[in-house]
Amino acid sequence: MEVSDYPKSADANVNRICGKCGSRIFADAPQGFCGLCLFKTGLGPLGEDDESLGSSPVAMPTDFDDYELLKEIGRGGQGVVYRARQKSLNRTVALKVIGGGHWDREAHLRRFRLEAEAAASLNHPFIVPIHEIRERDGCCYFSMNLIEGGQLDEAVKRQVISIRRAVELIAKLARTVHYAHENGILHRDIKPGNVLLDKEGEPHLTDFGLARLVETEGSVTRTTEMLGTPSYMAPEQANGNAEVTAAADIYGLGAVLYQLLTGAPPFVGRSTYETVRLLLETDPRQPRLLNPKVDRDLSTICLKCLEKDPQRRYLSALALVEDLERWLRHEPIQARRTGFVTRGSKWLRRKPAIAVSVASLVALIAVLAIVIWNGELFRQPPSNAAVVSERSIAVLPFLNLSDDKANAYFADGIQDEILSRLSKIAELKVISRTSTEKYKSNSEWRIFSKAKSRRQATRFESPSSLSMLPPTPTCGPRPMIGK
Amino acid sequence: MALWNGVSVSAQNGAVAFTTTQWSVVLDAQGESPSAEEALEKLCRAYWWPLYGFVRRQGYSPEEAQDLTQGFFAMLLERRDLDAVRREKGRLRSYLLASLKNFLAKARRRAMTIKRGEGRPLVPLEELLVRERADLEPADTLSADRIYERRWALTVLEQVLERLGEEYQVAGNGALFEQLKQMLTNDRPSQAKIAQEFGMKENAVKQAFHRLRQRYRLLLREEIAQTVAVPSDVEDELRHFISVLQT
Ligand SMILES: [Zn+2]
């Protein structure tokens, strides 16, 4: 069954015709090249050699001034990191080479040097110390301590880390960042790739102030192009107008925490542009909607770091540390949860056009809730009356049927809010979100609808189904949002 | 980006090193082998795009297709039945497609409740979505098999170009690479113009291009070598890709 929901018509995406072989080049061609011609070129002889060319192809440079490059160990938007041997001191170090870009080299290198030298003055066990900063052929490179355990993002891909461990890591990082802030230095680019774990699993921050090298004042495109993903960037950095302060680093810490808790950064668009747009215009989804194991307090801490307005974030990295440590000790946290209503109205302010449909949706939910509450849709089978001694209710996930992905947040938020309101009613048992989460995907819903009729006959065969779901699904077609 | 680090190539010696390719590590492994697991994971990470495209073409939504693709990887990494491939000295490309078809058929029979793999997904949603945007191929005229083959071929090229560009970048020749690489598919983006722009002699530009083309050919073969079991398959694959893109 090959179905037509597949995108776009063919011709719309033909960029052009290859001038050499005449085949069509589609928009997904590698770096815009004609794939056919690339393969044909590739098929040519390997040994073909012009005497004058010399025999050595361009390969990984192994000799780099005082350093011998041993192995590539990492790579990012800003350059390549090698394990290297420093000849003069005969020690193994990490060497980061920042490739020559199209920016104004002189000025940037000078500024980068200043930043890097300032960062090099930081002396903290969890900040990767820089030994030496040098230039070569318009490239800038510096050597630093080699941390063997690898980048945080690689490490979490290999192994799932617990929520507690994630919080401990961020608390340590936040303490480290606080130390730098006290010394007047901002990091500006906190992301999982800049956190290295050592053999003991301790987190070390690297690339302090490096973002400066690739920033061009006031230019989002430039900045994001050079920095790679804007997924961890604070909104004020992305729009390039506001002055970047310590609050941007607190945002970065929150974004990394978010990633560790949910498996994804707070904003993910299909393109850099879309990610920036989501970052500027939408609120992140609550971490606990993505990972039900995250509790409300931790969700609150994380979202406080990710506030759009820098002034609404934690006042200092230390304040964040303290709240995280309170959470670790199971004490009440200081951060206050932004109520769904507040968040909703902030969101509506940004999107006034759909306020009307949201209002009608809310009305629909109110009706629904009352109906369910009165037991019209929800009847317990008499034979099980003893077992189901309490009234229970399940709120099924809402589905975002509009084109705007950003509305999904609202759909989840509504379910979340209804659940939390209902849970305050003592005599009502509220079926947990985890048990209803699976009704989110379309296919499940279809299965569920089919199974419904069968279940009428067989329901409550086993008492275990009690804990899973109410005997009859609560509502008909799921409400939708938007158009 | 991490995704494209999938295949590591030892490039110094000019010859394609077969003994250590990822796929042969996987095939040679007996029983539990962490290095084989790692190699297979790297390969999956590098070549998810064709697989995902195949699943999407079956009519699944992006979310469903992601779940299925991740589920497939999880299954693959969990229990690999590689004996048949070993016997046939099969290619990764064919092996993955056959396994995926098998997997999807089973999934459909089980009315598809594919559990997400425990832990982190192999390919983060972020990357899927970035790529989803590039579903800009002549899709409605292509079968799922053809989408798979086409994307596989393009993925190979992407890996190679990326790698090549990085090498030049690191050597401080990124800008020159941007110009020279045009010559890989086009005979004349004027050598004279490049020479002028970079203050080089025309002959030097010519030589630089020859070096680049040599390096490109080598990396291309090495990349393909990562996915086949016997050396003679490399040229075969190259021709296969040409025929895939030709039609
Ligand atoms: Zn062509």
Side-chain angles (χ1 to χ4, degrees):
Chain A
M1 61 158 192
E2 287 175 358
V3 181
S4 60
D5 105 294
Y6 218 78
K8 329 287 159 29
S9 88
D11 293 337
N13 301 306
V14 180
N15 276 354
R16 57 192 192 288
I17 303 291
C18 172
K20 200 171 174 186
C21 73
S23 64
R24 296 189 298 177
I25 302 177
F26 290 92
D28 62 352
Q31 303 191 12
F33 282 118
C34 168
L36 189 55
C37 283
L38 271 181
F39 276 121
K40 284 183 175 166
T41 303
L43 201 55
L46 256 187
E48 172 214 64
D49 221 333
D50 194 318
E51 280 303 286
S52 59
L53 296 181
S55 54
S56 69
V58 181
M60 182 181 103
T62 54
D63 196 57
F64 222 82
D65 299 341
D66 188 25
Y67 300 89
E68 182 192 349
L69 305 188
L70 302 172
K71 190 182 173 220
E72 181 186 313
I73 51 177
R75 183 181 283 279
Q78 297 159 340
V80 184
V81 188
Y82 297 95
R83 166 198 278 276
R85 191 179 68 86
Q86 187 172 9
K87 295 176 215 159
S88 58
L89 296 171
N90 193 25
R91 63 175 174 182
T92 310
V93 297
L95 192 82
K96 182 154 190 165
V97 184
I98 314 287
H102 347 277
W103 57 80
D104 172 8
R105 272 184 201 150
E106 286 294 305
H108 270 84
L109 281 179
R110 212 177 315 118
R111 196 163 71 159
F112 167 67
R113 242 196 130 84
L114 285 175
E115 286 279 337
E117 273 163 7
S121 71
L122 292 174
N123 181 10
H124 187 280
F126 292 155
I127 293 177
V128 183
I130 295 176
H131 302 312
E132 176 177 52
I133 306 157
R134 299 186 64 167
E135 284 152 42
R136 171 179 152 142
D137 307 331
C139 282
C140 196
Y141 69 91
F142 56 93
S143 62
M144 53 195 170
N145 267 15
L146 182 68
I147 308 288
E148 297 277 6
Q151 295 171 352
L152 180 60
D153 48 353
E154 292 297 320
V156 297
K157 266 182 216 158
R158 283 197 300 271
Q159 198 185 5
V160 190
I161 66 169
S162 71
I163 289 177
R164 206 174 168 79
R165 162 95 170 122
V167 172
E168 286 165 355
L169 278 176
I170 300 298
K172 278 180 186 157
L173 287 171
R175 231 178 233 296
T176 309
V177 169
H178 179 65
Y179 163 83
H181 288 176
E182 285 201 307
N183 285 276
I185 290 170
L186 301 182
H187 189 290
R188 294 167 188 276
D189 188 24
I190 295 176
K191 59 185 178 190
N194 282 339
V195 177
L196 304 177
L197 296 178
D198 65 19
K199 279 180 182 153
E200 282 74 45
E202 299 287 5
H204 298 251
L205 258 177
T206 183
D207 286 3
F208 256 94
L210 192 57
R212 264 293 169 110
L213 178 65
V214 290
E215 264 173 26
T216 312
E217 284 94 334
S219 157
V220 189
T221 42
R222 204 62 187 290
T223 309
T224 52
E225 174 191 317
M226 310 306 298
L227 281 174
T229 170
S231 288
Y232 305 91
M233 191 183 280
E236 67 270 22
Q237 279 175 296
N239 74 44
N241 302 321
E243 195 197 344
V244 173
T245 64
D249 282 349
I250 290 168
Y251 183 96
L253 289 164
V256 177
L257 176 60
Y258 194 99
Q259 162 90 50
L260 294 179
L261 297 179
T262 68
F267 299 99
V268 180
R270 292 176 187 204
S271 60
T272 300
Y273 171 78
E274 198 185 319
T275 303
V276 171
R277 194 181 62 79
L278 290 173
L279 166 66
L280 296 179
E281 294 176 6
T282 65
D283 285 325
R285 298 176 65 187
Q286 291 207 38
R288 56 200 218 91
L289 299 180
L290 298 163
N291 178 357
K293 287 187 199 146
V294 176
D295 67 30
R296 189 178 291 273
D297 277 355
L298 189 51
S299 226
T300 303
I301 292 176
C302 186
L303 290 178
K304 187 171 175 69
C305 297
L306 299 178
E307 286 279 357
K308 302 270 183 253
D309 177 357
Q311 306 206 330
R312 294 177 63 96
R313 295 178 206 146
Y314 283 99
L315 292 177
S316 69
L318 188 62
L320 169 61
V321 174
E322 287 168 353
D323 240 6
L324 289 170
E325 289 177 346
R326 275 186 206 103
W327 184 89
L328 287 167
R329 292 192 302 264
H330 308 286
E331 290 170 15
I333 59 163
Q334 299 271 299
R336 293 272 56 85
R337 191 166 76 99
T338 314
F340 177 69
V341 177
T342 323
R343 275 184 284 130
S345 56
K346 281 198 305 198
W347 177 76
L348 285 182
R349 271 202 300 282
R350 286 196 293 270
K351 303 204 157 212
I354 57 167
V356 176
S357 56
V358 170
S360 57
L361 174 67
V362 171
L364 170 61
I365 287 160
V367 171
L368 195 66
I370 291 162
V371 172
I372 293 167
W373 176 239
N374 289 335
E376 290 300 321
L377 281 174
F378 175 58
R379 297 223 179 277
Q380 293 159 12
S383 59
N384 282 281
V387 187
V388 190
S389 57
E390 56 201 331
R391 280 174 183 267
S392 55
I393 186 168
V395 180
L396 297 187
F398 289 84
L399 185 64
N400 174 26
L401 297 179
S402 76
D403 290 335
D404 190 347
K405 287 240 153 73
N407 290 344
Y409 146 80
F410 209 78
D412 291 330
I414 286 175
Q415 188 197 9
D416 193 39
E417 193 66 10
I418 296 175
L419 281 175
S420 73
R421 295 282 166 97
L422 290 175
S423 64
K424 287 183 189 134
I425 304 171
E427 60 271 38
L428 188 66
K429 181 181 177 218
V430 182
I431 307 294
S432 78
R433 166 192 291 284
T434 347
S435 308
T436 59
E437 191 71 17
K438 57 181 164 181
Y439 295 102
K440 205 156 188 171
S441 80
N442 276 323
S443 48
E444 287 284 2
W445 175 250
R446 267 183 254 117
I447 293 163
F448 185 70
S449 322
K450 266 184 243 142
K452 206 166 96 176
S453 47
R454 245 179 297 126
R455 200 176 301 162
Q456 310 275 291
T458 59
R459 69 188 175 196
F460 281 21
E461 265 176 5
S462 89
S464 70
S465 62
L466 280 182
S467 57
M468 294 302 295
L469 266 183
T472 312
T474 46
C475 50
R478 278 176 297 174
M480 59 164 101
I481 292 191
K483 345 182 165 179
Chain B
M1 291 218 113
L3 180 66
W4 305 117
N5 290 344
V7 180
S8 66
V9 181
S10 67
Q12 274 92 330
N13 45 11
V16 181
F18 266 92
T19 44
T20 56
T21 68
Q22 311 276 9
W23 187 227
S24 64
V25 167
V26 176
L27 289 183
D28 292 345
Q30 303 289 334
E32 297 260 305
S33 155
S35 62
E37 230 146 75
E38 199 190 323
L40 185 59
E41 192 183 320
K42 277 185 177 173
L43 287 168
C44 288
R45 208 174 273 159
Y47 287 94
W48 63 266
W49 188 47
L51 292 159
Y52 175 74
F54 184 90
V55 180
R56 276 283 276 139
R57 190 65 178 114
Q58 307 297 313
Y60 292 104
S61 72
E63 290 77 16
E64 289 168 330
Q66 190 209 9
D67 275 4
L68 285 164
T69 312
Q70 308 285 19
F72 172 65
F73 285 149
M75 183 278 295
L76 207 61
L77 296 170
E78 216 165 82
R79 50 177 184 84
R80 327 180 292 272
D81 10 58
L82 293 170
D83 284 345
V85 205
R86 261 185 214 119
R87 277 195 304 276
E88 294 158 21
K89 296 246 172 235
R91 298 171 195 184
L92 174 72
R93 178 171 54 79
S94 327
Y95 168 72
L96 286 182
L97 183 57
S99 313
L100 179 66
K101 285 180 174 171
N102 202 351
F103 176 82
L104 289 178
K106 273 188 203 152
R108 220 170 279 137
R109 252 177 280 138
R110 269 184 280 127
M112 74 149 283
T113 353
I114 301 305
K115 199 173 67 167
R116 272 164 201 259
E118 291 290 306
R120 302 273 168 248
L122 190 57
V123 180
L125 183 62
E126 181 181 13
E127 278 160 16
L128 281 180
L129 289 179
V130 166
R131 223 41 222 265
E132 182 73 19
R133 160 191 61 131
D135 268 351
L136 297 172
E137 51 202 358
D140 30 62
T141 60
L142 292 186
S143 69
D145 280 69
R146 299 253 311 125
I147 285 182
Y148 178 83
E149 296 293 349
R150 188 172 170 282
R151 285 191 177 185
W152 189 282
L154 295 181
T155 305
V156 168
L157 290 177
E158 267 171 7
Q159 307 257 15
V160 173
L161 287 178
E162 191 110 347
R163 180 105 211 150
L164 191 61
E166 279 163 353
E167 287 186 359
Y168 275 80
Q169 180 87 2
V170 167
N173 295 321
L176 181 62
F177 173 74
E178 290 304 311
Q179 294 297 321
L180 285 182
K181 73 176 185 185
Q182 306 297 334
M183 291 165 72
L184 284 173
T185 57
N186 187 344
D187 279 333
R188 40 185 179 294
S190 166
Q191 292 187 8
K193 200 173 141 260
I194 298 177
Q196 200 182 5
E197 189 174 324
F198 288 88
M200 295 164 76
K201 290 211 170 90
E202 221 169 299
N203 197 39
V205 173
K206 200 171 159 193
Q207 286 179 12
F209 171 67
H210 276 281
R211 270 199 297 274
L212 178 130
R213 192 172 59 186
Q214 278 307 296
R215 189 72 193 142
Y216 164 74
R217 285 176 180 160
L218 184 70
L219 289 185
L220 179 61
R221 282 170 169 80
E222 284 186 346
E223 178 62 36
I224 297 173
Q226 298 295 334
T227 68
V228 295
V230 284
S232 57
D233 280 353
V234 173
E235 298 281 319
D236 239 44
E237 283 283 277
L238 259 174
R239 286 173 212 285
H240 169 79
F241 294 144
I242 288 177
S243 78
V244 164
L245 294 177
Q246 221 152 21
T247 41

